[in-house]
């Protein structure tokens, strides 16, 4: 089954960033988790099946982790590589 990348920026309650990061990293969807500077504390990327309900996943899985204050979600479509040309992709 095809998968898609879901990028979720996470804002944490003060003092909870590392706890939230540890819980996110343990999720079965195999997330990548980075701490960041700026408006959000964590950058995460999950691999979900194309048939998965993104809204349900974010609301019921990510936002319910203790210490998560806010999220911003982006669905990524295509992984582009520097060495590829438009012709390689059929554009």
């Amino acid at each position: 089954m095809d998968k898609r990348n879901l990028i979720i920026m996470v804002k944490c309650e003060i003092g909870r960033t590392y706890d939230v990061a540890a819980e996110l990293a343990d999720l079965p969807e195999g997330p990548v988790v980075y701490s960041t500077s700026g408006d959000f504390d964590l950058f995460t990327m999950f691999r979900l099946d194309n048939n998965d309900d993104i809204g349900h996943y974010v609301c019921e899985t990510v936002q319910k982790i203790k210490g998560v204050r806010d999220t911003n979600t982006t669905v990524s479509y295509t992984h582009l590589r520097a060495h590829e040309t438009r012709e390689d992709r059929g554009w």
Side-chain angles (χ1 to χ4, degrees):
M1 178 175 289
D2 289 333
K3 299 235 180 214
R4 60 185 160 180
N5 291 321
L6 181 65
I7 298 167
I8 305 174
M9 302 299 294
V10 180
K11 190 178 291 186
C12 303
E13 294 173 1
I14 293 174
R16 299 280 308 172
T17 300
Y18 288 102
D19 298 330
V20 171
E23 283 200 51
L24 288 167
D26 286 341
L27 292 174
E29 290 75 19
V32 172
V33 181
Y34 289 97
S35 60
T36 62
S37 62
D39 293 335
F40 288 87
D41 302 302
L42 299 170
F43 168 95
T44 66
M45 184 168 14
F46 296 83
R47 300 268 302 151
L48 298 180
D49 290 333
N50 278 335
N51 295 329
D52 288 346
D53 183 330
I54 293 170
H56 186 266
Y57 182 81
V58 172
C59 292
E60 297 298 321
T61 303
V62 177
Q63 291 179 345
K64 287 192 174 181
I65 292 174
K66 186 175 180 180
V68 171
R69 202 171 112 217
D70 192 15
T71 60
N72 183 302
T73 304
T74 302
V75 177
S76 124
Y77 298 112
T78 304
H79 178 205
L80 303 174
R81 294 174 181 86
H83 67 276
E84 290 179 328
T85 66
R86 290 174 182 246
E87 291 78 25
D88 292 336
R89 286 262 177 204
W91 296 345

